[in-house]
Amino acid sequence: MQKEQDTAPEDAPGKVVRRRRLVVGSLVGCLVLGGGVLMCLPGGGSGQRAPAPAAGAQAAAAVRAGVPAALSDLAVLIDERESRVREHPRDARSWAVLAAAYVEQGRRTADVAVQYPKAEQALRTSLKVRPERNADALDGLAALANARRDFRAALNWGEAARKLAPTRWTTYPQLIDAYTGLGDYKKARKSLDRLLALHSGPAVRARAAGVYWDQGRREDAQAALADAAAGASSPAEQAAWLERAGQLAWERGEREDALRHFQEAVRLDPDQRAAQAGQGRALAALGRTSEALSAYRAALARQPLPGYALELGELYESLGLTQAAQVSYDLLRTRVRQEAAGGVDGELLLGRFEADHGDPVSAVRRLRAEWRRQPGIAVADALGWALHRAGDDKAALGFALIATDRVHGGAMRSAPYLYHLAMIERRLGKDGPARRHLREALQINPYFSPLLGPVAREALVQLGEAPERPLPE
């Protein structure tokens, strides 16, 4: 069996390490994360640094650990590994590393129709040349399945990898994603506990942050991401963790803090398109509409994800620019079809889109099928909302409750989820719960949607209560 590395735990399982960082001298190059955690970015000190590893080696280390890599480094790694497997076609490990690079490149560029099939072919080749005890390929197949939103397949591949090498820490992030996508939050937490017992480091802390956020543990999530960003080994990795910290700030309604995180992420890695889209989100909430539109367009130009197209379309629609909104919605449909060619399941996004902007009955049909395949919390919320839009509020309420109650894992206190629940309750004549949940949604994030945020505020007024945090005009 291949010797496993870094299996000794540095932190106690299930705990987030919070460190006070002493800052000596100038604060140039430092960033305050949410909660007052101070993190110094590379380049602020005057000490000697060890020479950086070669681009291909740095990208290889990143993709093996499941952390983001710079696009330029990925291109070097892919060239190197393609040359390697041409000369040594039975090098199973190189085939697996090449596949991981394809997946990361596809994710970063949204070129999944090309890169994901190439990754699958490379992984199948790795298994063919080494059919036994090939944890690299099994991990890679789990990661590819998660990227495609095929959580059942990801779980099967991940469990096969875990049984083969139980102390291989890189398997457990794939299991966390698979269990989360299937709505099994207890097993996701158990996988995290095992991961924390085996390894520590920025990638593990960032993964822990996602689980903590799903559990409603916002301070723990924030601290874990601060540690991850502080310990990142490259600007691309650091930018990725800052982008996630920006997401957390945004979901709490902290517009300025979210924008600072997104801006710093783009400064560190100009190819960090998720952070550019995040800037669009935050800028729109701050009333800086022209800048918001520019940020979204820049993100879409280089990473044309259908989710960005949906957000941009809704921003256009909120501004009364219906023709521009339709162009974005058409792009969404096109990109979903193109991603499907790479094996990506886009039914959740299409269902959400159809519920609000197309055919709610079609949305219900899509999302019921998705719920049968992989009953995650996001699917429960989308299906409940689609049922509401299609006029079946009694059935809608059951799914909205699944998405928001702690028993089923809906502890993340999502403003959109609570808004959906409140509007369903209002339609059913449950004014008290509707008022309470609208108030809670607007307290969490009054800017959660340029289209639905104002509707939530007006609904609360009609129910006899003004929101505490008014939306910007």
Side-chain angles (χ1 to χ4, degrees):
M1 179 183 299
Q2 179 183 346
K3 184 178 179 180
E4 298 297 328
Q5 301 293 325
D6 299 323
T7 58
E10 297 177 20
D11 300 329
K15 295 184 180 179
V16 176
V17 177
R18 297 175 178 82
R19 299 178 176 84
R20 294 185 179 274
R21 297 180 176 84
L22 180 63
V23 181
V24 181
S26 173
L27 296 182
V28 174
C30 291
L31 175 70
V32 177
L33 296 180
V37 180
L38 185 66
M39 182 194 72
C40 288
L41 303 178
S46 58
Q48 295 294 322
R49 285 182 173 272
Q58 185 163 318
V63 298
R64 281 197 294 265
V67 302
L71 280 175
S72 57
D73 292 354
L74 281 172
V76 173
L77 173 62
I78 288 171
D79 285 345
E80 291 176 354
R81 293 300 166 128
E82 286 179 340
S83 296
R84 171 71 184 178
V85 296
R86 278 194 296 268
E87 295 174 6
H88 304 277
R90 299 194 63 79
D91 184 347
R93 185 175 180 83
S94 284
W95 279 113
V97 172
L98 177 59
Y102 285 148
V103 171
E104 176 69 354
Q105 189 178 64
R107 183 187 70 82
R108 295 291 306 272
T109 63
D111 187 18
V112 299
V114 173
Q115 301 301 332
Y116 286 4
K118 287 167 64 176
E120 182 171 4
Q121 183 178 7
L123 289 165
R124 299 289 181 184
T125 303
S126 180
L127 277 178
K128 182 178 179 180
V129 300
R130 190 199 296 168
E132 302 293 333
R133 312 196 70 78
N134 190 345
D136 290 325
L138 296 175
D139 266 1
L141 285 163
L144 176 59
N146 276 320
R148 286 170 159 170
R149 287 190 49 80
D150 185 352
F151 301 117
R152 296 274 182 202
L155 180 59
N156 290 337
W157 290 118
E159 284 294 344
R162 182 190 62 80
K163 290 176 183 176
L164 178 61
T167 60
R168 181 186 173 90
W169 74 268
T170 53
T171 300
Y172 291 90
Q174 305 310 324
L175 290 173
I176 291 168
D177 284 352
Y179 281 124
T180 300
L182 293 170
D184 194 336
Y185 286 85
K186 289 183 179 180
K187 289 187 178 179
R189 176 62 210 221
K190 287 181 180 179
S191 296
L192 175 61
D193 289 344
R194 182 60 175 152
L195 172 61
L196 290 168
L198 290 171
H199 189 66
S200 67
V204 174
R205 292 189 176 95
R207 187 68 58 167
V211 176
Y212 297 152
W213 182 255
D214 288 340
Q215 294 176 331
R217 297 167 55 186
R218 292 180 294 170
E219 299 304 321
D220 285 344
Q222 180 179 302
L225 276 175
D227 277 345
S233 60
S234 72
E237 182 188 355
Q238 192 168 62
W241 307 149
L242 288 172
E243 187 275 330
R244 292 193 190 179
Q247 286 187 43
L248 294 189
W250 166 254
E251 289 175 8
R252 294 192 303 269
E254 298 168 359
R255 301 170 294 175
E256 296 87 353
D257 192 32
L259 181 59
R260 283 194 295 270
H261 284 85
F262 293 139
Q263 288 174 331
E264 184 60 24
V266 173
R267 186 191 71 79
L268 286 166
D269 180 7
D271 292 319
Q272 177 50 255
R273 306 303 170 187
Q276 281 187 315
Q279 286 183 54
R281 212 173 298 133
L283 288 164
L286 288 164
R288 295 161 60 178
T289 306
S290 296
E291 294 172 83
L293 293 172
S294 296
Y296 272 124
R297 290 171 188 142
L300 272 167
R302 296 297 183 90
Q303 190 186 22
L305 292 176
Y308 300 166
L310 177 57
E311 289 187 32
L312 177 57
E314 290 185 338
L315 178 56
Y316 279 133
E317 194 171 337
S318 74
L319 298 170
L321 303 173
T322 54
Q323 186 173 356
Q326 191 56 54
V327 171
S328 284
Y329 296 152
D330 289 344
L331 175 62
L332 179 152
R333 294 187 181 95
T334 299
R335 292 301 303 171
V336 169
R337 285 196 299 270
Q338 290 172 344
E339 289 191 350
V344 176
D345 178 1
E347 292 300 285
L348 173 59
L349 183 64
L350 273 178
R352 287 174 48 211
F353 167 73
E354 291 291 346
D356 279 323
H357 307 286
D359 180 1
V361 174
S362 169
V364 169
R365 185 167 58 251
R366 290 178 183 278
L367 292 167
R368 280 196 184 279
E370 188 73 0
W371 177 255
R372 287 191 293 269
R373 285 193 299 270
Q374 36 198 31
I377 295 302
V379 180
D381 167 71
L383 177 53
W385 185 243
L387 286 162
H388 164 75
R389 298 281 292 176
D392 190 351
D393 288 286
K394 185 175 180 180
L397 182 61
F399 287 102
L401 289 171
I402 289 173
T404 53
D405 71 23
R406 292 182 178 272
V407 173
H408 293 91
M412 59 188 286
R413 297 187 74 239
S414 160
Y417 291 7
L418 286 165
Y419 166 78
H420 291 160
L421 173 61
M423 298 304 281
I424 293 166
E425 289 169 331
R426 186 184 182 211
R427 180 81 65 81
L428 291 169
K430 300 177 181 290
D431 288 356
R435 185 182 300 109
R436 183 173 68 254
H437 290 131
L438 279 172
R439 185 192 315 124
E440 187 176 358
L442 291 171
Q443 285 173 343
I444 294 169
N445 184 2
Y447 321 103
F448 70 90
S449 165
L451 275 179
L452 302 180
V455 175
R457 181 175 58 178
E458 178 60 26
L460 190 56
V461 170
Q462 290 177 3
L463 286 167
E465 182 174 340
E468 294 182 8
R469 295 171 64 182
L471 287 165
E473 297 300 331

